[in-house]
């Protein structure tokens, strides 16, 4: 699990990329990413969540909202 909800989008994406790499090296199959709900974002749009979901999609990775916490994305990682 990583918490990126107080970072700007560019830094959040970089930290997530590092965490994904580390998780894959450790043999993990998912990464929980705390992105926040967007309550403090302009127009209440969750910019960080949307950016991360789009970035994961561009890498063909699933990033789903945790049903028990809408401020968390669960990124499913490929496994061998």
């Amino acid at each position: 699990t990583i918490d990126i909800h107080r970072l700007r989008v560019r830094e959040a994406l970089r930290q997530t990329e590092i965490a994904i790499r580390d998780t894959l090296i450790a043999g993990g199959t998912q990464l929980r990413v705390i992105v926040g709900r967007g309550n403090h974002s302009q127009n209440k749009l969750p910019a960080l969540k949307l950016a991360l979901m789009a970035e994961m999609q561009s890498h063909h990775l699933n990033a789903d909202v945790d049903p028990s916490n809408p401020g968390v994305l669960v990124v499913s990682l490929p496994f061998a």
Side-chain angles (χ1 to χ4, degrees):
T1 300
I2 62 168
D3 184 351
I4 60 169
H5 87 280
R6 296 204 184 267
L7 301 177
R8 297 209 180 266
V9 170
R10 176 180 245 150
E11 180 63 18
L13 293 176
R14 187 170 98 57
Q15 292 299 320
T16 302
E17 185 177 309
I18 291 167
I20 287 172
R21 184 193 66 221
D22 292 347
T23 302
L24 286 170
I25 289 170
T29 59
Q30 74 174 17
L31 176 67
R32 294 175 55 78
V33 183
I34 301 169
V35 294
R37 295 180 185 199
N39 292 338
H40 301 289
S41 296
Q42 186 175 10
N43 298 326
K44 301 286 186 197
L45 289 174
L48 190 54
K49 182 190 300 185
L50 296 174
L52 186 61
M53 291 177 82
E55 184 71 13
M56 295 303 101
Q57 186 176 22
S58 75
H59 292 290
H60 306 289
L61 296 173
N62 290 331
D64 299 308
V65 176
D66 183 334
S68 65
N69 185 343
V72 174
L73 291 178
V74 179
V75 179
S76 300
L77 303 174
F79 53 91

